């Protein structure tokens, strides 16, 4: 719920590559992952109630990072050409200009998402509080009944 508007904004603002027709499109590669507090978090001592991720998978992962942050140009030394061994030669890899579409989506939706997250965490805390209170009251009542039976 909290991350859905951010994901939609990222998908709509993701650049589309019409030059290389390799079937890899950024807008199709983004996913949401929500991890609620679980036993692994409790055992590790984490105080985290919930974690949310917007991420890419597969071939688009390295490409998304390069589009978002850019890359400096560099020279690479190769020793193969079309799958055949050759004498070593240098290849100049051109720089890539940064196109920050993910960060702008996060910044645009940050205040609303933060408030929504606060509301959801507050609900979770209330749920835990009510559960713990119910358990504590049950234990107190059980002990009161037990002590009442022991009175002379």
């Amino acid at each position: 719920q909290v991350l859905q508007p951010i994901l939609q904004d990222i998908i709509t603002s993701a650049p589309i590559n019409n030059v290389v027709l390799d079937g890899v499109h950024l807008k199709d590669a983004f996913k949401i992952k929500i991890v609620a507090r679980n036993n692994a978090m409790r055992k590790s001592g984490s105080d985290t109630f919930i974690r949310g991720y917007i991420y890419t998978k597969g071939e688009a992962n390295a490409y998304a990072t390069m589009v978002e942050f850019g890359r400096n140009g560099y020279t690479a030394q190769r020793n193969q050409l079309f799958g055949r061994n050759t004498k070593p030669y240098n290849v100049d890899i051109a720089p890539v200009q940064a196109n920050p579409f993910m960060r702008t989506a996060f910044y645009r939706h940050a205040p609303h998402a933060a408030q929504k997250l606060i509301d959801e965490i507050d609900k979770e805390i209330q749920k835990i509080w009510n559960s713990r209170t119910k358990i504590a009251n049950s234990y107190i009542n059980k002990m009161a009944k037990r002590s009442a039976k022991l009175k002379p």
Side-chain angles (χ1 to χ4, degrees):
Q1 273 182 332
V2 174
L3 296 177
Q4 197 62 41
I6 299 171
L7 178 66
Q8 289 305 317
D9 196 357
I10 288 173
I11 289 171
T12 55
S13 63
I16 299 171
N17 183 1
N18 293 327
V19 179
V20 180
L21 302 175
D22 58 359
V24 177
H25 299 288
L26 284 178
K27 64 183 180 122
D28 301 331
F30 288 99
K31 307 270 187 245
I32 292 180
K33 181 178 181 181
I34 304 294
V35 179
R37 186 169 173 87
N38 55 28
N39 286 335
M41 287 182 190
R42 280 189 210 100
K43 288 178 183 176
S44 70
S46 173
D47 292 333
T48 304
F49 282 106
I50 190 167
R51 289 182 183 158
Y53 306 92
I54 295 179
Y55 65 100
T56 57
K57 281 183 90 169
E59 299 173 358
N61 198 21
Y63 179 60
T65 304
M66 192 176 3
V67 170
E68 179 73 14
F69 296 105
R71 176 190 70 203
N72 292 330
Y74 63 95
T75 302
Q77 189 175 46
R78 309 277 187 204
N79 62 359
Q80 284 194 347
L81 185 62
F82 302 114
R84 305 201 86 161
N85 291 335
T86 63
K87 288 190 276 183
Y89 63 96
N90 291 330
V91 177
D92 291 327
I93 308 296
V96 175
Q97 188 68 31
N99 183 1
F101 64 100
M102 290 183 274
R103 287 178 283 174
T104 54
F106 280 114
Y107 296 150
R108 191 176 304 123
H109 295 282
H112 176 68
Q115 186 57 49
K116 208 168 185 181
L117 182 63
I118 289 168
D119 295 342
E120 292 298 318
I121 289 174
D122 189 43
K123 286 180 193 174
E124 186 70 21
I125 290 171
Q126 285 297 337
K127 192 165 85 173
I128 291 169
W129 175 269
N130 291 337
S131 171
R132 300 293 171 130
T133 302
K134 184 178 174 183
I135 291 169
N137 286 339
S138 171
Y139 185 75
I140 290 168
N141 290 337
K142 184 173 93 174
M143 296 306 286
K145 287 178 185 177
R146 185 181 288 171
S147 66
K149 286 180 184 179
L150 295 176
K151 277 188 178 177

